Amino acid sequence: MVTDSMLYSFSQSAEPTFAHPHSRASCNPTLSKLWGTKLAVSCKPLLRIGEVPDSHNLKVSASCSRSCNGGDGEREKNPMAAALQRQLNGEEEEDAIREECGVVGVYGDSEASRLCYLALHALQHRGQEGAGIVTSDESTLRSEVGLGLVSEVFNNSKLAKLTGKSAIGHVRYATAGASVVGNVQPFVRSYRFGSLGVAHNGNLVNYNHLRAQLEDNGSIFNTSSDTEVILHLIATSRDQHLLARIIHACEQIEGAYSLVFLSENKLVAVRDPYGFRPLVMGRRSNGAIVFASETCALDLIEAEYVREVNPGEVVVVDGDGISSSYLLSRRQRQACVFEHIYFSLPNSIVFGRSVYQSRYTFGEILAEEAPAECDVVIAVPDSGVVAALGYAAKAGVPFQQGLIRSHYVGRTFIEPSQKIRDFGVKLKLSPVRAVLEGKRVVVVDDSIVRGTTSHKIVRLLKEAGAAEVHMRIASPPIIGSCFYGVDTPSTEELISFKMSIEQTRQFIGADSLAFLPLERLRGMLGNEAPTYCDACFSGSYAVPPTDLLKEKEEQHLAKMRVNNLDASMLGAVRSLNDTTNQRGDKSREFAGIV
């Protein structure tokens, strides 16, 4: 039965206040600065679920046209016109929030490099651009890094050279710094007290400021990665002991960081005071200590989960055992909720919660909030599968595999000279006509970013014979970029920032569209809800992105200077014109013309 549940539209207009219905506070100056204008956001019902509007022509309000397109609102424009044009041109673009990075640390095992290799393989979903391992034999650090997947970077001969009982490793997707081998971690640098390796999951929001300061003082950088700043801060510290130097560096950096350091005789794990990114500790049966971004890495190498590294905690493992300190000022935890929506594997325990159970519950909530008369429930694999199972179970509708994902698509592919529509999506996803033909289909996905991929998926399903396609998204609308170690498009490229839910539905071509309500997401988290970061949904940032705000301010000041210069020049021109006109009048008067 179709119920009276409603889909809602969030319309934006330039006003002196910001009041998003999902925000924790009625005013958010940080987000206003990032967007370049303060926005008043109103909420109104658009249509009941399953109801088809009279016209499928996308209509955008004049206020949205002005704020999103920079025009005067004299004519309505599609805010996603650029994305549509890229599709018409056959241009493929990344339309997903990309995984950030994964880190591993092993101490006290003669096969540390191989264990690190296996653990990185388990974390491959967190980064596919590069991988690296650094080992220590208590006298020398040895490093091997490269571009590509873990299995492409390492082989038996390379692992055999990485001797020692301690190791750290990293899989990378670039959130700061270009995709070149020089930016692949772990980084190893020598300084007056020896050598030090570091692997970092996260993103520093004051990186540009710190780098400029260090360069002014003579530091020379070898990479464009924000992680290198940490090593420079450690090297320039006046403290004598490694732990004190690490603390000195961490006191100056802002943002998200889960770090593992390796010296000749110590393994150090650090998590930022807000705990944005996950970091867990485990122990193998032989007593070896393991750190990893997710528990799935512990499972593969048969390490028993011990606990999380707590926000603001520094854990040191060396010949004297394990020591823990809380030398960083602690804040209320702000764990990234997107770890449970998309990033982490379903078999991981992240922030003390089962990822599988979280996603299953998201699907159940969607079935309650946004039911649809349907014959089958399918998922956009892989991250939408568990939520789809929850939706199907709650709705009492069978779940089937309507889309099959290819796991053998490389990073590059050759397209025939005659363009194939939606080529990139078709390479990855194949519809199952026997499941879809003539059926009313609910398709569950984890999120919508730009909307271009969702548009292609809906078209793919309908071309395979689906009678109706009802899109259900197991997260709230994404209205803000992430600055804490996740690669997201700019705010202006996010479809939910520019469009209402109904406009998004029309853009992707679905018969209905619904998102997981933010208040239900927080309700599922219960008393822990304030300890999760949902800035990409609410616009409430725990740590303001210092570098970006400064860049926006500098751009604003530069624009003001240009405007002032233009006004000054205009005044001078007008003054010159007035003088010229006066002289012309006198000349004409003298000549008897006037």
Side-chain angles (χ1 to χ4, degrees), residues 169-189:
H170 190 267
V171 287
R172 178 178 193 269
Y173 174 73
T175 58
S179 297
V180 295
V181 70
N183 283 334
V184 178
Q185 299 180 36
F187 293 151
V188 180
R189 299 291 184 268

Side-chain angles (χ1 to χ4, degrees), residues 341 356 358-364 366-367 377-379 382-393 399 444-446 472-474:
I341 292 169
Y356 185 98
S358 292
R359 292 180 188 170
Y360 194 89
T361 304
F362 296 157
E364 291 180 317
L366 271 174
V377 176
I378 69 170
D382 293 317
S383 53
V385 170
V386 180
L389 288 169
Y391 188 103
F399 168 84
V444 181
D445 203 355
D446 60 89
R472 297 294 179 264
I473 306 301

Side-chain angles (χ1 to χ4, degrees), residues 255-442:
Y257 52 92
S258 287
L259 302 160
V260 284
F261 294 93
L262 185 66
S263 70
E264 286 82 359
N265 56 10
K266 294 182 189 294
L267 175 63
V268 182
V270 184
R271 195 166 168 212
D272 70 79
Y274 292 93
F276 284 110
R277 307 258 67 87
L279 189 62
V280 296
M281 181 170 69
R283 187 191 302 269
R284 282 174 49 82
S285 58
N286 63 357
I289 300 299
V290 180
F291 297 98
S293 294
E294 291 182 39
T295 58
C296 62
L298 304 182
D299 296 338
L300 181 58
I301 62 174
E302 298 182 335
E304 181 183 358
Y305 171 75
V306 175
R307 64 177 179 86
E308 282 191 310
V309 176
N310 292 314
E313 185 179 16
V314 182
V315 182
V316 180
V317 187
D318 57 19
D320 296 327
I322 304 172
S323 61
S324 172
S325 305
Y326 289 91
L327 302 181
L328 300 176
S329 56
R330 299 183 70 181
R331 306 284 191 273
Q332 177 169 269
R333 191 188 73 169
Q334 291 292 292
C336 174
V337 74
F338 229 91
E339 291 283 351
H340 279 261
I341 292 169
Y342 175 65
F343 296 136
S344 300
L345 285 186
N347 58 313
S348 285
I349 305 296
V350 176
F351 309 133
R353 288 177 173 265
S354 163
V355 175
Y356 185 98
Q357 191 56 54
S358 292
R359 292 180 188 170
Y360 194 89
T361 304
F362 296 157
E364 291 180 317
I365 294 171
L366 271 174
E368 293 173 0
E369 292 284 329
E373 289 187 352
C374 63
D375 304 305
V376 65
V377 176
I378 69 170
V380 177
D382 293 317
S383 53
V385 170
V386 180
L389 288 169
Y391 188 103
K394 192 71 173 179
V397 177
F399 168 84
Q400 294 193 46
Q401 282 189 285
L403 288 169
I404 306 299
R405 184 179 184 88
S406 171
H407 293 276
Y408 308 104
V409 179
R411 287 179 295 281
T412 59
F413 44 81
I414 301 172
E415 185 176 2
S417 57
Q418 186 173 355
K419 292 287 185 181
I420 297 176
R421 188 170 66 173
D422 305 337
F423 180 61
V425 170
K426 288 178 178 176
L427 274 177
K428 299 174 184 177
L429 298 173
S430 301
V432 182
R433 184 174 289 272
V435 172
L436 302 169
E437 194 163 23
K439 302 289 182 59
R440 297 168 299 176
V441 179
V442 165

